Structures are given as C-alpha cells and as structure tokens.
Amino acid sequence: MRTIGLDGAEWLAVLRIGLGLWWLESWRHKNKKDWFERGTGIGWAVGVAAKHRWAFVRGGFDAVVTPRPKVMAYVVVYAELALGLGLTLGFLTPIALIGAIVLNLLYFLLMIHDWAEQGQNSMMVLISVVGLFGMSWQTWSLDGAWGLFL
C-alpha cells in the first residue's frame, strides 16, 4: 500500500485518535450539572422519542430510558468519556470501537429525522468499522504497546 506521509497503520491510528477526540468533545461540551441534576439531556431525548415516527423506537425508549433518567444520564455521559479515552489512548480499542458503533447506531435511530445527526452518526459508525476491521490499535496505542488484541 502506498501512502503519503505516514504508513497505512499510522493513518488508521490517526483516524482512531480523531474519532476518540470527537467522542471526548461530545463529552466535554455537555453541561454535566444540567445532565445530572436537572436531567436536561435525557429530558430532551424523551421529547424526541415521544414524537418518533417508529413505534419500536418510542417503545424501546419508554421501556429502557424513560423509567431511569438519572441512571441513563450517567450512562450516556460516561460512555462518551470512556469511548473518547479508549480510542484516543488506544486502550481496549476493539471494545471501544464496538461500543462506539452501538452508541452511534442508537443515536442514529433516535435522531432519524435530523439530517445533521444522521450524517455525524453514520460517519462515526463508518470510522469505527474501518478502525475495527483495520485493527487500528496496532500503532500508537496502549493496546499495541502491551501486545493486546494482536
């Protein structure tokens, strides 16, 4: 494979790290006080789910998220932090990439009516799939340094 500047494995690491930074930014810009004390993030999502065009999304959200808004706020916020750290540092990377795929698909389904969210989440899923099947943890990662998942 011919590349410019870096080799293929290094470019995959750049992609993985960029995705991790994207997750860290998603975590950073959340107002944690509002999310944890006022429930603003989950409250907003409840409103989105209630008007969702697909009954299975409304029903799933009502069964899993609506009854436990505080727990789900912590799950979302800390999942984004864990994904960001795991991908940026390359720690437990395959697990982080699978988690990123799942979370982005959930976000994609919830926000199916929003073109911007569709684009962001579909691109993050694509990057995660490329990172997973390209084994992006082989270079510039704790997993690579420790010989994990090789």
Side-chain angles (χ1 to χ4, degrees):
M1 170 192 300
R2 291 182 50 153
T3 63
I4 297 172
L6 304 173
D7 67 29
E10 291 169 336
W11 279 118
L12 282 172
V14 167
L15 194 63
R16 182 200 80 234
I17 292 165
L19 180 62
L21 293 172
W22 198 343
W23 278 111
L24 286 174
E25 175 56 21
S26 182
W27 171 80
R28 187 199 64 79
H29 83 261
K30 282 182 173 46
N31 183 328
K32 278 61 149 194
K33 184 174 182 174
D34 283 350
W35 268 73
F36 299 147
E37 292 177 15
R38 296 192 227 358
T40 55
I42 299 300
W44 168 81
V46 166
V48 171
K51 296 181 253 169
H52 204 280
R53 66 178 78 164
W54 296 332
F56 80 92
V57 173
R58 289 191 307 270
F61 199 91
D62 287 343
V64 176
V65 179
T66 304
R68 47 191 78 77
K70 219 171 198 26
V71 170
M72 294 311 294
Y74 280 92
V75 167
V76 168
V77 169
Y78 287 110
E80 290 184 357
L81 175 61
L83 292 172
L85 291 172
L87 294 171
T88 302
L89 300 173
F91 180 63
L92 302 177
T93 312
I95 297 164
L97 288 165
I98 291 167
I101 291 167
V102 169
L103 194 55
N104 278 124
L105 287 174
L106 289 171
Y107 289 174
F108 183 88
L109 279 175
L110 179 63
M111 298 301 296
I112 198 70
H113 66 282
D114 185 319
W115 287 94
E117 285 289 328
Q118 286 178 352
Q120 172 177 307
N121 289 296
S122 61
M123 289 301 98
M124 290 176 84
V125 167
L126 176 62
I127 294 167
S128 298
V129 168
V130 169
L132 182 64
F133 288 101
M135 297 176 63
S136 63
W137 54 89
Q138 296 177 79
T139 301
W140 301 342
S141 71
L142 294 175
D143 292 338
W146 296 337
L148 300 175
F149 309 108
L150 299 178

